[in-house]
């Protein structure tokens, strides 16, 4: 059988991009473990490892069909087990399973956002069940609205690689979890003031951000699904690079003005810029990407302060402002800065309004659906470990092992 050379090249491009996106799982694990305490490092690693493993199975068995198998009133696809149905309607040039793999790593990225926000106090078993439900139902349904031919796609909503579909959804799901879990012990004082709970490895966190930044080139540029349009790939690569650079500089300057140049602020700033530009990386100019990066950096810093100081919510790694808030803002800014239909480029208010609607609807869906699931799991399984287990650390209390041998040695000596 003769295979068209373009099909071969496009398939290789999508598979390589998928592997880059898969590497982001390692990046999240490093960022989250670095920004949290050493007594919970193995637990963080295990959550990131297992939410991908479970997610890959569940998404293949059920979630993919709910996202891409036709459309029922623009709301969800037709359930189909093991991707066994007819998906010719997708009009794919590449093999179906290559596309399934690409979508699988995207799905797992959304789920793992939650693990960092709820770190250091959530039960491992409960997290795994939530992860499976989000992979099977929550993510595929809203993903169908945008990428599966659903109602938002029909309106003309644009989210090229997932500022809302992946990141805002995961960020607002995390918000629901944090709201119901409550803060970590020692985070807030009786008078309402907060204490900084320092992470144990800024080097780990920084390396994680580098891994995520590299993986994001596959995340965004791979969403072209073809290697035959080099101009589009080059454009997306450039906008994907400029936005995090601008956001990192912005957050560094803000933290420096407030006190001293913060490593954590710069790292999360870069991630905020990456999240923000993901929706419109194909439509905004390089200058537009820089603007999105700057705005995303400011939103991340302000959002972090509001969550902690005003709302008394404890997001262990800053996942909610980075992914939730900046996912929404980046999607909306696409409606302003897209060089095709953006409001600032004479496109009128229609496209901008659709971007606002889509971003808010997906964020709301992520929060409300996750809140309901978390409440159900709280009643059935419980959400939070005991105070003593939290004090001891989830590595020992949940897994009976530790990322660092000295904890085991100390425990044996006791």
């Amino acid at each position: 059988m003769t295979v068209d050379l373009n099909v071969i090249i496009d398939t290789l491009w999508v598979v390589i991009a998928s592997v880059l996106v898969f590497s982001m799982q390692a990046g999240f694990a490093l960022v989250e473990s670095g920004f949290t305490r050493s007594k919970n490092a193995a637990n963080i690693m295990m959550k990131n490892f297992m939410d991908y493993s479970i997610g890959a199975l569940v998404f293949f068995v059920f979630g993919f069909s709910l996202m891409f198998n036709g459309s029922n009133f623009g709301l969800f696809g037709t359930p189909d087990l093991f991707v066994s149905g007819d998906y010719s309607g997708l009009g794919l040039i590449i093999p179906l399973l290559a596309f399934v793999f690409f979508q699988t790593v995207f799905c797992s990225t959304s789920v793992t956002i939650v693990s960092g926000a709820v770190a250091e106090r959530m039960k491992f078993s409960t997290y795994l069940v939530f992860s499976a439900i989000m992979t099977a139902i929550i993510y595929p349904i809203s993903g169908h609205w945008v990428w599966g031919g659903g109602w938002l796609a029909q309106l003309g909503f644009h989210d090229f690689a997932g500022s809302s579909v992946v990141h805002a959804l995961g960020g607002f799901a995390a918000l629901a979890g944090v709201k119901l879990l409550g803060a970590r012990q020692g985070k807030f004082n009786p008078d309402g003031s907060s204490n900084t709970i320092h992470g144990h490895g800024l080097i780990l966190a920084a390396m994680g951000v580098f891994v995520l930044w590299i993986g994001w080139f596959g995340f965004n540029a791979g969403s072209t699904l073809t290697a035959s349009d080099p101009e589009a790939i080059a454009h997306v690569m450039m906008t994907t690079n400029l936005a995090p650079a601008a956001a990192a500089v912005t957050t560094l300057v803000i933290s420096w003005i407030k006190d001293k140049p913060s490593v954590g602020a710069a790292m999360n700033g870069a991630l905020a810029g990456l999240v923000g530009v993901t929706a419109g990386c194909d439509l905004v100019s390089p200058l537009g990407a820089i603007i999105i990066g700057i705005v995303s950096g400011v939103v991340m810093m302000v959002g972090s302060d509001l969550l902690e100081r005003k709302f008394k919510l404890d997001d262990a790694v800053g996942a909610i402002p980075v992914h939730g808030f900046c996912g929404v803002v980046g999607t909306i800014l696409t409606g302003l800065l897209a060089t095709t239909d953006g409001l600032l480029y004479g496109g009128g208010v229609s496209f901008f309004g659709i971007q606002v609607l889509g971003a808010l609807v997906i964020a709301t869906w992520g929060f409300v659906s996750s809140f309901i699931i978390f409440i159900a799991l709280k009643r059935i399984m419980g959400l939070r470990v005991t105070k003593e287990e939290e004090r001891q650390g989830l590595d020992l209390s949940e897994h009976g092992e530790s990322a660092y041998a000295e904890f085991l040695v100390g425990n044996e000596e006791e």
Side-chain angles (χ1 to χ4, degrees):
M1 181 179 68
T2 303
V3 180
D4 187 282
L5 182 60
N6 287 331
V7 175
I8 295 173
I9 294 173
D10 287 351
T11 301
L12 285 173
W13 168 240
V14 171
V15 169
I16 290 169
S18 301
V19 172
L20 284 172
V21 178
F22 173 67
S23 74
M24 293 171 66
Q25 203 76 16
F28 278 115
L30 288 168
V31 168
E32 293 170 15
S33 61
F35 279 152
T36 52
R37 289 168 290 187
S38 54
K39 63 183 180 179
N40 299 301
N43 176 259
I44 289 286
M45 288 291 175
M46 195 63 173
K47 286 197 297 183
N48 280 270
F49 186 74
M50 291 311 302
D51 65 26
Y52 179 81
S53 299
I54 292 172
L57 292 171
V58 172
F59 190 70
F60 174 74
V61 172
F62 184 77
F64 181 84
S65 66
L66 206 62
M67 192 164 172
F68 290 106
N69 191 24
S71 188
N72 294 284
F73 312 106
L75 298 176
F76 56 87
T78 301
D80 162 49
L81 297 180
F82 305 107
V83 194
S84 57
D86 179 13
Y87 291 88
S88 59
L90 293 176
L92 296 173
I93 297 175
I94 61 174
L96 174 62
L97 291 183
F99 183 69
V100 174
F101 179 43
F102 186 69
Q103 293 299 331
T104 297
V105 291
F106 268 64
C107 177
S108 295
T109 297
S110 183
V111 174
T112 207
I113 291 168
V114 179
S115 69
V118 301
E120 302 197 302
R121 72 271 203 202
M122 187 171 188
K123 293 176 68 174
F124 181 64
S125 57
T126 305
Y127 174 77
L128 294 185
V129 174
F130 174 78
S131 177
I133 295 171
M134 186 170 178
T135 305
I137 300 173
I138 297 174
Y139 174 85
I141 287 178
S142 55
H144 175 79
W145 299 345
V146 182
W147 294 338
W151 68 278
L152 281 175
Q154 294 167 24
L155 287 176
F157 178 72
H158 185 84
D159 187 356
F160 185 69
S163 286
S164 285
V165 174
V166 177
H167 296 281
L169 182 79
F172 280 88
L175 178 61
V178 167
K179 178 68 176 175
L180 287 170
L181 269 174
R184 291 168 290 175
Q185 294 181 55
K187 177 62 181 177
F188 294 107
N189 300 312
D191 63 359
S193 60
S194 63
N195 300 307
T196 300
I197 300 178
H198 294 283
H200 84 284
L202 284 179
I203 294 175
L204 290 176
M207 290 304 299
V209 172
F210 279 121
V211 171
L212 286 167
W213 197 325
I214 293 169
W216 228 288
F217 292 121
F219 200 89
N220 286 359
S223 294
T224 59
L225 296 179
T226 178
S228 60
D229 191 348
E231 289 293 331
I233 292 173
H235 182 88
V236 170
M237 294 287 271
M238 181 55 68
T239 55
T240 300
N241 194 54
L242 289 173
V249 172
T250 300
T251 52
L252 179 72
V253 170
I254 293 173
S255 68
W256 209 333
I257 292 172
K258 293 172 63 177
D259 186 14
K260 292 183 182 296
S262 168
V263 177
M267 296 298 105
N268 266 345
L271 296 180
L274 286 163
V275 169
V277 79
T278 293
C281 56
D282 61 324
L283 295 184
V284 303
S285 68
L287 177 59
I290 293 173
I291 293 171
I292 288 174
I294 293 170
V295 174
S296 296
V298 173
V299 168
M300 189 278 291
M301 294 292 283
V302 173
S304 296
D305 284 344
L306 285 174
L307 280 178
E308 184 171 316
R309 296 182 182 181
K310 182 174 178 60
F311 298 105
K312 309 303 177 187
L313 294 174
D314 181 16
D315 178 352
V317 302
I320 297 166
V322 167
H323 298 277
F325 298 169
C326 292
V328 169
V329 167
T331 304
I332 292 173
L333 286 176
T334 300
L336 288 175
L337 297 171
T339 57
T340 51
D341 300 312
L343 185 62
L344 297 182
Y345 286 82
V349 298
S350 176
F351 178 60
F352 176 72
I354 292 168
Q355 291 300 107
V356 173
L357 172 66
L360 295 180
V361 166
I362 292 173
T364 302
W365 165 253
F367 179 81
V368 172
S369 60
S370 299
F371 196 85
I372 293 170
I373 298 301
F374 276 127
I375 288 178
L377 292 176
K378 183 177 183 179
R379 294 178 178 176
I380 297 169
M381 305 174 63
L383 287 182
R384 187 163 180 156
V385 298
T386 66
K387 289 184 178 180
E388 177 55 30
E389 289 171 334
E390 184 180 345
R391 184 200 64 78
Q392 185 183 33
L394 273 61
D395 287 5
L396 293 176
S397 64
E398 289 278 71
H399 306 286
E401 51 191 351
S402 175
Y404 301 99
E406 59 266 27
F407 285 97
L408 294 174
V409 172
N411 193 53
E412 291 168 357
E413 290 174 351
E414 291 176 4

